[in-house]
Each structure stands twice: as C-alpha cells, then as structure tokens.
Amino acid sequence: MYPAEEGVVVHTKALIVTDGPLSRPVPVAVRYDPAASEPLVQLCFPGGTEWSFPRPLLESGLRAPSRDGDIGIWPCGRVQTIVEFHTPEGVAVVQFDSSALLRFLRRTYAATTSPVTH
C-alpha cells in the first residue's frame, strides 16, 4: 500500500539490480508534493520502503552522473536511468525507464507553475 496520494504521483515499474538472476519489475510510486514544507522526490516501493531526495538531483541525474550524499543517479544508455542508494546495510540499485521519470518531472513543473493572469 502506498501513502496517501497528494501532489504529483506517477506509478511506474523498476528493476531491482542484483548480482543474481534477472528479477521481475516491481511497482514504484514516484511522488512530489509541492505544498510540503520540504518538497522532495519520493520513491515508494512495496512493503513501505521509501527513498527521498531533492528534485534537482533527479533533474541532473537524467543528463549526467549526479550524487547527493547517499544517493546517486545517472543515465544508463539512451532510455534507462539508474538510482543508487547507499545505507549502512549495503547498496540498492534500481533501474527505471527514463521516460517515466521525465513524465514525472514535467508534472512536478506543471504543479509548481502558477498560471499567468492578465
């Protein structure tokens, strides 16, 4: 179950990258609440695992390798993006279709842009 869906939410699938056999895609909710006191991108995985980081990290990581503390994001070929999380327990590597993350970012910009009035 995902947290309550406020703000921008895109549901997508991602691959958890391991050194074992290929895994199946897992559902991920990518969230952004521009009204939050500290708006962050949140990746919400099944079982309640959630990773949060600033939106500019995702923006830059779609174009070139970027890191902020324990989180790294970089393009992988022309259509994939890797998100890597370092914890005391180890490293988790997740592969996304870049198009889903770009769609998400476009929606976050639309949600934070106020209409022009004349």
Side-chain angles (χ1 to χ4, degrees), residues 17 21 24 35 37 41 52 57 60 63-64 68 75 77 84 87 97 103 113 115:
V17 179
R24 294 190 327 205
S37 60
V41 171
S52 300
L57 179 62
S60 61
R63 294 184 308 271
D68 183 357
E84 179 181 80
T87 68
D97 285 339
R103 183 174 67 247
T113 303

Side-chain angles (χ1 to χ4, degrees), residues 20-70:
L22 293 177
S23 63
R24 294 190 327 205
V26 296
V28 180
V30 187
R31 302 179 65 223
Y32 182 81
D33 183 359
S37 60
E38 184 180 355
L40 297 171
V41 171
Q42 297 175 312
L43 302 180
C44 305
F45 295 88
T49 300
E50 189 175 295
W51 297 325
S52 300
F53 50 88
R55 180 172 67 174
L57 179 62
L58 179 58
E59 294 167 357
S60 61
L62 286 167
R63 294 184 308 271
S66 298
R67 179 166 295 284
D68 183 357
D70 294 336

